[in-house]
Structures are given as C-alpha cells and as structure tokens.
Amino acid sequence: MMRYAQEEKNSWQSESKWNDQKWKHIDIEAKRRVDMDRTKLSSESNRFIEKLRLYLFSQGIEQSDIEDVADNLAQQLYEMELNNEPIEQITNQSPQEYVDKLKKEVGEKKNPSVSWLIPYMLIGAIVFMLFGDALRGVLYGEIVAYSLFRILSTVVIGLLFIIGSVFAVRYTSGNQLSESRKYGMLAIPAVIGMLLFIAAYFIDGYVETSLVTIPFAGSMILLGVVTATAILLSVWAKTWILPVILIAWNFPPLILENTPLGVNMQAFLGIILTVLIVGAYIYLEFQEEK
C-alpha cells in the first residue's frame, strides 16, 4: 500500500514538473513571437518605442505596465507600416506628448461628453410644462391657455440657458478642471435656468398680458407633438427618464381624482407614487449598468 502511494506521488511530481516545463516553454515561445514582431518594425519605430520605454521608466512606471504599453504601440506601428500609413504622426512626437495624448483619449472614453444634456434639459423642461396641460385638455376638455408673458419668458430663458450652457461647455473643454468643478460649471446654467423658470411662473400671476388659448383640436395636436418629442428625445439621449417623469407626475393624480379620497390624501399619495415610480426606474437603470 505504501509502495503504491509512493509511486503515485512520484508520478504526480513528475507530471507537475513536466507541466511547469511546458508552460515555461510556452512563455518563452510567446516572448519570441513578440520579439519577432519587433524585428519586423522599422528602425524609426523601434527607436521611438525605446525612447518611450526610457521615459516611462524615468516616471517610475512599473516594468509590467511599460511592457504592455510598448507591446500595444509596437502592434499599432506594425499595422500602420503594413498598411503603408505614415508613422510620423506618432514617431514625430516626444514620448511625453504621446503619453499625454494617450491619457486624454482614455479620459474621453471614461468620461464621455455631457453636452447632450443641454438640449435634453431645455426641451425636456418645455415638454414637462406642456404635457400636463395638453393631457387635461384632451381628457377633460379643459381650455389650455398661456399668457403672452409666459410664452415670451420661456423663450428668453431658454435662449439664456443655451448661451450659458455653451459657454460652460467651452470653458470646461478648454481648461484642466477636476470632475467636481467640471460638473459644477455645467450645473450653473441649469440651476439659474430653473430658478428663472420658477420666478417667471410666479410673476405670471401678477402680470396682466393677453392670453393665447388653444382649442380642443389644438390640445390633441399639442399632446401628440409633445409626446413624440419626448420619445424621440429619449431615443436620441438613450435614456427614458423624461417619459417616466411625465407618467409619474401626471397620471397618479388623474387616477386618484376618481377615488373617494380627500384632496389632501390624494396629494400625499400622488407624491408617494411619483417618487416610487421614478425611484424604481432609476434603480433598474442602475442595476442594468452595474
């Protein structure tokens, strides 16, 4: 029994030793393949790779990371030379310029532009204001009317929001800012625009201007246009938060109005349902991205 166990142990050790030798041989072969690829590069490409390696080493980068960057660059230069593409666009740079450009490209991939928020927030705010009125005009036949002051103030505030957002995007794009300061700059025109919209809403009750009324047929057209705009905007922005907010804000009160509940209870439950619907959507979106 002991003899059998000893033979099994010797057999396992022999097989383990052979596997170690095999994997070592594979690693050597892989290294040779990389070296062979390097030999196919032009002298100009090899010089730039060596300069890059020295630069990264002087910056205290770990050897394994240096090799990864060098291998990726060697593959890129090899493909460019194979396709007769000019390698000077890379080799004419200094190693520092190449690394800075690489960092910028990686940063842009990790932090995609948020400039799409500008039209999304502006159009979304207008859609939000019009949807509820148009929906009640269609369902209950209510007259939809807007004062001339409200229409003009919406247009002016919208233009100011666009101008402010464009300046904010240009400023953040042209300056090296931290992520918190970048989003803070982009949030400034949004916050100012929101405050101006709220102020215009309250001032509208104290300013007497002519009314622009929309008949029932106009309410149907307006509801269709607003709904289509919300859907197309969501498809373009790849997020359905706007339709979800429209549904969560407008439909719970309409449903609760047909119940025997008191006005205060209807308002309380409407807020709870709105928060639950929007919260559920955000949670599902978070889980999907995760």
Side-chain angles (χ1 to χ4, degrees):
M1 185 74 176
M2 293 293 293
R3 182 182 176 183
Y4 177 77
Q6 185 65 31
E7 289 177 354
E8 285 290 322
K9 182 178 179 181
N10 293 337
S11 176
W12 179 82
Q13 289 177 345
S14 176
E15 183 178 355
S16 177
K17 185 177 181 181
W18 182 85
N19 284 334
D20 290 341
Q21 292 176 348
K22 181 181 70 173
W23 287 114
K24 186 177 181 181
H25 176 72
I26 290 175
D27 291 340
I28 293 172
E29 288 299 319
K31 184 68 169 61
R32 283 178 181 172
R33 282 196 297 271
V34 173
D35 292 340
M36 287 175 63
D37 289 339
R38 294 278 181 90
T39 59
K40 295 178 182 178
L41 292 173
S42 64
S43 58
E44 184 179 356
S45 296
N46 278 315
R47 278 197 303 270
F48 183 78
I49 292 173
E50 290 306 315
K51 287 181 182 178
L52 180 63
R53 287 161 62 92
L54 289 173
Y55 172 77
L56 294 175
F57 180 77
S58 67
Q59 298 299 310
I61 307 299
E62 293 184 3
Q63 189 64 32
S64 59
D65 294 332
I66 294 176
E67 293 300 327
D68 288 340
V69 174
D71 290 342
N72 290 332
L73 178 57
Q75 184 64 32
Q76 181 182 358
L77 290 171
Y78 176 73
E79 292 176 357
M80 291 177 69
E81 291 179 359
L82 202 63
N83 297 323
N84 294 322
E85 297 178 9
I87 62 172
E88 288 77 16
Q89 55 185 314
I90 294 178
T91 57
N92 283 348
Q93 303 178 84
S94 68
Q96 182 178 357
E97 290 174 341
Y98 175 78
V99 172
D100 291 341
K101 183 180 179 182
L102 199 63
K103 287 180 180 178
K104 185 178 180 181
E105 291 175 355
V106 172
E108 289 176 352
K109 290 180 181 179
K110 288 185 177 179
N111 303 298
S113 174
V114 293
S115 57
W116 62 270
L117 283 173
I118 298 174
Y120 188 83
M121 292 176 64
L122 175 62
I123 300 174
I126 296 174
V127 167
F128 180 81
M129 289 189 297
L130 296 177
F131 183 81
D133 295 336
L135 183 64
R136 287 187 171 276
V138 172
L139 294 179
Y140 300 120
E142 295 180 2
I143 297 175
V144 179
Y146 298 104
S147 67
L148 188 61
F149 171 81
R150 187 173 182 182
I151 295 173
L152 293 177
S153 63
T154 300
V155 173
V156 172
I157 295 171
L159 291 174
L160 291 175
F161 174 74
I162 292 175
I163 294 171
S165 298
V166 169
F167 275 108
V169 169
R170 288 184 176 179
Y171 180 80
T172 55
S173 301
N175 295 274
Q176 295 292 334
L177 302 174
S178 63
E179 288 300 312
S180 58
R181 291 191 63 185
K182 182 184 296 184
Y183 286 106
M185 285 296 301
L186 293 173
I188 290 174
V191 173
I192 294 176
M194 181 181 66
L195 293 176
L196 289 175
F197 273 124
I198 294 173
Y201 176 80
F202 285 104
I203 294 173
D204 185 37
Y206 298 95
V207 178
E208 293 185 3
T209 55
S210 58
L211 292 176
V212 178
T213 58
I214 302 175
F216 179 78
S219 296
M220 292 184 65
I221 296 172
L222 181 62
L223 181 62
V225 171
V226 168
T227 303
T229 302
I231 294 173
L232 292 174
L233 193 64
S234 300
V235 172
W236 172 71
K238 298 180 181 178
T239 175
W240 293 91
I241 185 64
L242 178 58
V244 170
I245 291 176
L246 293 177
I247 293 171
W249 182 262
N250 292 283
F251 283 93
L254 292 176
I255 296 172
L256 292 171
E257 284 177 0
N258 297 314
T259 64
L261 297 173
V263 176
N264 292 333
M265 182 57 68
Q266 289 181 19
F268 175 75
L269 290 178
I271 294 173
I272 296 296
L273 289 173
T274 299
V275 172
L276 287 176
I277 294 171
V278 176
Y281 171 79
I282 294 174
Y283 174 77
L284 293 174
E285 279 286 303
F286 177 77
Q287 291 296 319
E288 184 177 349
E289 291 180 3
K290 190 176 179 180

